[in-house]
Amino acid sequence: MKKQPTIVTGRIKLRRFAPDYCAGLDKKKTRARTDARGRRIGDLQPLLYANAHHAVLLIFQGMDASGKDGAIRTVLQHVNPAGVQTANFKVPSEEEKAHDFLWRIHHAVPRAGSIGVFNRSHYEAVLAERVLGLVPRQTWRRRYGEIVDFERMLVANGVLILKFHLHLSRREQAKRFKERLADPKKNWKFSHADLATRQRWPDYIDAYEDMLNATSHPAARWHIVPADRNWYRDHVVAGIVVKALDALKLKWPKPAKNLAKVRIGK
Amino acid sequence: MKKQPTIVTGRIKLRRFAPDYCAGLDKKKTRARTDARGRRIGDLQPLLYANAHHAVLLIFQGMDASGKDGAIRTVLQHVNPAGVQTANFKVPSEEEKAHDFLWRIHHAVPRAGSIGVFNRSHYEAVLAERVLGLVPRQTWRRRYGEIVDFERMLVANGVLILKFHLHLSRREQAKRFKERLADPKKNWKFSHADLATRQRWPDYIDAYEDMLNATSHPAARWHIVPADRNWYRDHVVAGIVVKALDALKLKWPKPAKNLAKVRIGK
């Protein structure tokens, strides 16, 4: 099996990326390794918090049922929830619409020392808003540059940004929608609006492809994560997070001064 | 061993509550039971999210080293971090000081369907701010009523509030401070300011006692959690959370209409 790249460093065609790619790995063994990666993330989070120099921002995009919730749950399952801030970006409120598209995003950026998760993000402003025709072409095209500038500023100010496009096939989406309809624990998730989105599949693929090419800049690259197999998706995401955290080379901070002289009493 | 109450329903004297109380339980067995309670909370969170009718707000107060962080970590260790929003209330910023004391608190109230955690809270406005003399007596006394009114409003609007005072002995605090000083993984936590607070111990106990008596109202009772033993502290908190969540009798929501007619295609 030819190795499929994940990181977007040059111009890409999305259809060249197989959503069911799994690098020939074994499901059971891989799950165990993913769990070990999750534990490593759980171990590194207190160091991130103690240092409070960096924030980590994980951005998840992908079609309905691509597994954004599932990936977040698995990858962060061993992390203290107190160290994680998750933001779900839904349809903007009237107040949010009355501001620029980055206003509500900026507010949700994680503080130093914590892990932030964006379940959907500012990228909806060049995806759904483009496909649904909510903004003119010149607006969503201008936003690419505005997003890159915004992310560069965040990175320069200590935010480590990791961006994941969960790449799902249309066929696998159909399968998952049918499962949702059949399962009483899942069918509350089903919305008729999801079908309308599904019908615009080719338009969304175009929008995703343009977005990936326009906004995968050196300070914050996009990762295209094959998403047809949950276990491989989680493995890839966990690996990228571990590698990025390890690269920070976090150590326990130096203690406050004069600790040797401190007398506590009884 | 005489059973020590936890919930505050009448006027209490804090010195009558033993910080090292553990109901005669065995540490190892209790830890396993606490873990089971944690798993139950993890299982109930998706139901809370799916229904999105209620929010749950866990408020933690207690002296330095009483184990607020530890309790939060243990009790929520099996919960998807995406379903939890934690707020740490430190010394107010200039912007926050320019507003009423509940302004920053209100903003951090969890949204329907999620679990919010306050690590310290609006109660600092009648604790530290009182002891340090930052506000006149008439102000902090007035705040008791304002807090009760505010919490009643939240409860009436679907927020389940659970308030925990982690009750630590001065002796155990000394032991924990010494451990922090000795452990390079913990001594970054030590602040000389903690010693200043420790020296005002009796004043803080007075402030806590008055607060517990003035703000344990039927809509949101205080719980006094013995905190000298971490394992018993976590067990008590987890038990209260499980009981409160069970009482909501959450069920999977009814599916959207006309699901039987939905055709997904391939």
Side-chain angles (χ1 to χ4, degrees), chain B:
Chain B
M1 191 181 281
K2 199 188 159 206
K3 196 171 185 303
Q4 182 166 295
T6 304
I7 196 164
V8 179
T9 53
R11 190 155 189 85
I12 59 98
K13 287 274 184 197
L14 206 40
R15 65 168 186 277
R16 300 250 172 95
F17 289 76
D20 63 349
Y21 178 79
C22 67
L25 293 180
D26 171 75
K27 179 173 165 177
K28 200 176 163 190
K29 280 183 202 162
T30 303
R31 278 217 167 123
R33 287 175 57 208
T34 304
D35 195 62
R37 288 176 175 180
R39 288 182 190 278
R40 175 89 187 129
I41 297 167
D43 289 343
L44 288 168
Q45 181 269 330
L47 277 161
L48 190 73
Y49 179 80
N51 281 282
H53 284 148
H54 293 91
V56 175
L57 174 57
L58 314 179
I59 299 177
F60 289 88
Q61 285 290 156
M63 301 292 270
D64 293 321
S66 59
K68 297 180 286 295
D69 293 301
I72 295 164
R73 193 172 56 239
T74 305
V75 170
L76 299 179
Q77 67 182 319
H78 298 295
V79 179
N80 181 355
V84 180
Q85 302 162 236
T86 306
N88 288 272
F89 294 101
K90 314 238 168 180
V91 176
S93 68
E94 287 304 314
E95 178 72 11
E96 289 167 348
K97 278 185 212 163
H99 293 84
D100 69 86
F101 77 109
L102 292 170
W103 181 75
R104 63 174 185 160
I105 306 295
H106 208 156
H107 183 79
V109 168
R111 56 182 296 150
S114 73
I115 299 174
V117 180
F118 284 0
N119 188 338
R120 302 192 185 273
S121 66
H122 41 301
Y123 286 100
E124 290 297 324
V126 294
L127 294 167
E129 291 195 30
R130 165 183 169 176
V131 173
L132 300 176
L134 301 180
V135 289
R137 180 182 170 85
Q138 67 193 45
T139 299
W140 58 257
R141 286 182 64 90
R142 191 189 64 231
R143 285 175 173 172
Y144 291 142
E146 292 167 345
I147 287 171
V148 172
D149 289 343
F150 172 67
E151 290 181 351
R152 271 196 197 124
M153 180 277 293
L154 293 180
V155 172
N157 284 278
V159 183
L160 171 67
I161 300 179
L162 301 172
K163 303 189 289 195
F164 303 100
H165 166 55
L166 305 190
H167 187 47
L168 187 75
S169 68
R170 194 163 188 272
R171 178 182 293 266
E172 178 65 20
Q173 189 191 51
K175 200 177 140 216
R176 294 183 184 183
F177 277 176
K178 286 171 189 172
E179 282 167 5
R180 281 189 186 178
L181 288 172
D183 183 348
K185 286 189 183 178
K186 286 184 179 171
N187 59 21
W188 60 273
K189 282 188 187 181
F190 189 84
S191 153
H192 291 277
D194 294 349
L195 277 189
T197 303
R198 178 173 165 78
Q199 275 154 8
R200 306 292 298 271
W201 190 277
D203 297 333
Y204 274 98
I205 293 297
D206 285 350
Y208 266 102
E209 186 172 287
D210 288 348
M211 169 199 91
L212 292 165
N213 283 317
T215 62
S216 192
H217 54 101
R221 293 286 185 201
W222 272 106
H223 300 272
I224 300 176
V225 181
D228 274 11
R229 304 176 204 242
N230 294 348
W231 57 271
Y232 186 68
R233 170 200 75 202
D234 297 345
H235 188 63
V236 169
V237 173
I240 292 163
V241 174
V242 166
K243 197 174 167 189
L245 287 176
D246 276 338
L248 294 178
K249 298 186 189 304
L250 297 165
K251 291 191 174 62
W252 291 106
K254 288 183 184 168
K257 286 182 183 173
N258 305 324
L259 282 195
K261 291 177 193 166
V262 171
R263 293 292 170 267
I264 305 289
K266 285 190 182 173

Side-chain angles (χ1 to χ4, degrees), chain A residues 15 32 40 69 131 188 229:
Chain A
R15 68 169 183 273
R40 175 89 187 130
D69 293 300
V131 173
W188 59 274
R229 304 176 204 241

Side-chain angles (χ1 to χ4, degrees), chain A residues 107 178 192 198 257 265-266, chain B residues 107 192 198 257 265-266:
Chain A
H107 183 80
K178 286 172 188 171
H192 292 277
R198 177 173 166 77
K257 285 181 182 174
K266 284 186 184 176
Chain B
H107 183 79
H192 291 277
R198 178 173 165 78
K257 286 182 183 173
K266 285 190 182 173

